[in-house]
Amino acid sequence: TQLLEQSPQFLSIQEGENLTVYCNSSSVFSSLQWYRQEPGEGPVLLVTVVTGGEVKKLKRLTFQFGDARKDSSLHITAAQPGDTGLYLCAGLNSGGSNYKLTFGKGTLLTVNP
Amino acid sequence: GAGVSQSPSNKVTEKGKDVELRCDPISGHTALYWYRQSLGQGLEFLIYFQGNSAPDKSGLPSDRFSAERTGGSVSTLTIQRTQQEDSAVYLCASSWAVNTEAFFGQGTRLTVV
């Protein structure tokens, strides 16, 4: 069974601070996705990283995929209250069941004005 | 419709009753997924439909759970003889094909009392 450990589980910071969320596994994934989920809504895809060592930037968000494709991080610079939400990482299985996403438990981020 | 639509948004049922949850995927999407999100847990894969292929039911937690997809479009997840541990948010997602971006619905919050 492939597992994704996400940390921290909860994060409360002030507007303007930087933060990093981590997603770790002992398994190799063919790709890793980051989602953001707001209350009462489904997750919305932010980014997909595919290549080991890959770095992608989305405005103030920087996503990195580990060289061994087992871990990933999400860094937010100068957080804003609009960044508040549940951030989920999800790994796409390799091999036959390459449609199954294995999700971490999520990081609940609160950015206070 | 513009996005994945799920109904009902909320469902409260008595223990032992059967429930049906509906998912209308984005038109033209061949892949459809059901996930379950419990409090404090990540999303848990339940079942996957792809075109006319046999569905992957490996994530269904017990034989009380079943799902079907009629005409390659609408899907229904049925839970028989509901138990309190079935209380969760049930999320449906669809994608144009396997390994393409999955779009999630807003979910059905099921509460078994």
Side-chain angles (χ1 to χ4, degrees):
Chain A
T1 302
Q2 296 181 299
L3 295 173
L4 273 171
E5 298 290 336
Q6 206 170 328
S7 62
Q9 189 175 353
F10 300 97
L11 192 54
S12 181
I13 61 172
Q14 294 300 120
E15 182 176 0
E17 293 183 357
N18 302 332
L19 67 114
T20 302
V21 176
Y22 299 94
C23 184
N24 296 296
S25 176
S26 58
S27 304
V28 175
F29 293 97
S30 61
S31 66
L32 201 135
Q33 302 176 359
W34 284 92
Y35 292 81
R36 186 174 130 195
Q37 185 177 21
E38 301 200 22
E41 301 294 327
V44 175
L45 181 66
L46 296 174
V47 77
T48 301
V49 285
V50 179
T51 306
E54 182 176 4
V55 177
K56 281 192 174 179
K57 292 192 175 183
L58 186 65
K59 297 183 180 178
R60 293 175 294 99
L61 278 62
T62 301
F63 305 86
Q64 186 163 8
F65 202 13
D67 291 340
R69 305 206 324 272
K70 293 182 179 181
D71 53 82
S72 181
S73 63
L74 157 61
H75 183 78
I76 301 179
T77 303
Q80 299 177 1
D83 296 328
T84 294
L86 179 67
Y87 289 82
L88 296 158
C89 65
L92 191 63
N93 291 13
S94 53
S97 55
N98 60 346
Y99 44 80
K100 284 186 185 179
L101 285 170
T102 298
F103 281 85
K105 293 184 179 181
T107 295
L108 186 60
L109 172 65
T110 303
V111 182
N112 303 297
Chain B
V4 177
S5 178
Q6 291 187 246
S7 60
S9 298
N10 286 283
K11 176 73 176 178
V12 180
T13 190
E14 292 181 351
K15 178 182 173 181
K17 300 282 190 182
D18 297 352
V19 294
E20 284 190 354
L21 312 180
R22 178 186 169 104
C23 172
D24 281 273
I26 294 173
S27 178
H29 280 194
T30 62
L32 187 146
Y33 318 76
W34 283 97
Y35 284 84
R36 178 168 71 174
Q37 186 173 29
S38 304
L39 194 63
Q41 303 295 319
L43 277 72
E44 173 190 6
F45 169 82
L46 296 178
I47 188 168
Y48 165 75
F49 296 91
Q50 172 60 49
N52 295 321
S53 302
D56 178 353
K57 304 179 181 181
S58 61
L60 295 178
S62 78
D63 58 8
R64 295 186 295 105
F65 288 71
S66 63
E68 63 177 20
R69 188 179 184 192
T70 54
S73 181
V74 172
S75 178
T76 303
L77 177 68
T78 301
I79 309 174
Q80 295 178 309
R81 304 181 303 281
T82 51
Q83 303 294 314
Q84 288 186 330
E85 61 263 29
D86 299 335
S87 295
V89 176
Y90 290 83
L91 290 159
C92 174
S94 70
S95 62
W96 181 73
V98 68
N99 280 341
T100 60
E101 180 179 356
F103 294 85
F104 283 83
Q106 84 282 8
T108 294
R109 179 175 296 279
L110 175 67
T111 304
V112 182
V113 297

